[in-house]
Amino acid sequence: MPIRGVIFDVDDTLFDYSGSEQAGILAHLHHLDLLHRAPDPQSAVTLWREVMREQYARFLAGELTFAGQQRERARQFLARLGEDTTTMPDETAAAWFAGYTAHRNAAWTAFPDAAPTLAALAPTHRLGIVSNAPIDQQRPKLHATGLLHHFDDTALVGSDRPGEAKPDPAIFRTGCARLGLPPHEVAYVGDNYDLDALGARNAGLHPFWLDRTATRTAPVDDGIHVLHTLTALPAALHA
Ligand SMILES: [Mg+2]
């Protein structure tokens, strides 16, 4: 059975989330003259990512709203830089996060292999998105980086409701249904091994794991195809 549809993850698959995140937090700290509070810039970035993972997990678990996890990230990060944020009002935390967002968005960029790959697939495959962020957060990234026109709006699926997220098979199957295809005719491409590759496989799709840095030393599980660039995807779909 040929693969007739391809669904993509957004962050760190099509869109260089890590790069814009790093540039954004460093510019924000520089602007606020807070960079000297961290031992060095790389430690500040590492700490920011650590806090993000903790608080975003709480959002995915339905414990915090999307805006709530943003405010909590601001509070926790500043607390670990030595500020007392226990009584920081919501508005202050939200404004701090908005400052970060502005710097991060100024650094938004897609990976150079994203646009050519989507253009190569568009004539022959139905294209979709399944992301663990709300789709209203992801649509502007795809638009700003010139990728949005490759997707019908109905083919954009985000984790808009708490608890409905990868690796739950339901969100992958929603993505397939939006393309009008059964899971076994759809490939899923993402950078996160557990959420994307294993999640897609367990939902019955063809999983393509994007390992841009080729850092994994352990063997991959049965049925998982490994890509190091998106450029290799069109040929891999036919293999
Ligand atoms: Mg990702």
Side-chain angles (χ1 to χ4, degrees), residues 77-108:
F77 179 73
L78 288 169
R80 293 200 212 168
L81 289 184
E83 281 195 28
D84 180 6
T85 56
T86 44
T87 58
M88 181 185 270
D90 276 359
E91 310 82 75
T92 310
W96 197 95
F97 195 89
Y100 157 69
T101 302
H103 284 107
R104 184 200 60 198
N105 294 5
W108 272 359

Side-chain angles (χ1 to χ4, degrees), residues 9 11-13 191 196:
D9 168 55
D11 290 335
D12 287 331
T13 295
D191 67 292
D196 296 330

Side-chain angles (χ1 to χ4, degrees), residues 2 21 46 56 87 163 215 230:
E21 176 191 55
T46 302
Y56 205 77
T87 58
T215 46
L230 291 176

Side-chain angles (χ1 to χ4, degrees), residues 22 25 40-53 77 80:
Q22 168 157 332
I25 191 63
D40 55 75
Q42 197 49 54
S43 310
V45 173
T46 302
L47 178 61
W48 181 240
R49 288 186 174 148
E50 210 173 281
V51 169
M52 187 272 278
R53 273 193 295 276
F77 179 73
R80 293 200 212 168

Side-chain angles (χ1 to χ4, degrees), residues 113-131:
D113 53 9
T117 301
L118 293 174
L121 292 174
T124 48
H125 293 77
R126 298 181 202 176
L127 302 178
I129 294 289
V130 167
S131 168

